[in-house]
Amino acid sequence: YLGIGAPFISVTYSYIHIILLVFGALSITKPGSAELVLMYFLVNIFTILNDIILLGLFQPDANDGIERDGVPSKIKNTYRFALGMIILHLLLKPVICFILYRMYKNRGGDL
C-alpha cells in the first residue's frame, strides 16, 4: 500500500504538501494578495527542508525493506517511481520559489 500512509515516507510529507496546496490555491483565488503568495513561498521553503530531512531519515530503511528478494516487482517499481517523483519535485522547488518571489514582488510585496 503506497497511499497517504506509505511505509517509505512519513505521513508528515503528505500533510505538509496538503497545506502547501491550500496556500497555492488561496494565492491563485486572491490575485491581489501579496501576503498569501508570501505564505506560499515560506511554506514551500519549509517543505524543501522537510523533504530533505524525511528522505534522509526514512529512505534508507525503506530501501532495505523494499529492495530485497521476495518483494513483488510491482511494489518495487511503485516505490522507485514514488521516490523518483519525490526527488524530481524536490529539485523543482527552488525554481518554484523563484517564481513565487517574482509573483510576490509583482503584487507589491517588499521583503
Side-chain angles (χ1 to χ4, degrees):
Y1 174 72
L2 298 171
I4 194 166
F8 65 90
I9 199 79
S10 174
V11 172
T12 307
Y13 181 85
S14 299
Y15 289 144
I16 195 67
H17 282 87
I18 290 171
I19 293 169
L20 185 69
L21 285 172
V22 167
F23 278 114
L26 286 174
S27 67
I28 289 172
T29 59
K30 307 272 186 188
S33 176
E35 291 83 16
L36 286 173
V37 175
L38 179 63
M39 285 301 298
Y40 187 35
F41 175 76
L42 294 175
V43 171
N44 199 27
I45 289 175
F46 177 74
T47 61
I48 292 172
L49 298 173
N50 189 41
D51 292 355
I52 292 169
I53 291 169
L54 290 176
L55 280 173
L57 289 175
F58 292 103
Q59 194 276 329
D61 291 338
N63 193 46
D64 292 341
I66 294 176
E67 295 289 339
R68 59 183 164 81
D69 292 336
V71 176
S73 63
K74 182 179 179 182
I75 299 290
K76 288 182 183 180
N77 291 336
T78 304
Y79 164 73
R80 292 173 187 159
F81 178 76
L83 186 61
M85 290 297 105
I86 289 171
I87 293 170
L88 178 65
H89 191 225
L90 183 59
L91 291 173
L92 290 175
K93 281 185 180 183
V95 175
I96 294 169
C97 282
F98 176 74
I99 293 169
L100 288 172
Y101 178 74
R102 298 288 298 185
M103 285 176 58
Y104 178 68
K105 288 296 209 179
N106 288 340
R107 290 188 184 186
D110 188 29
L111 290 177

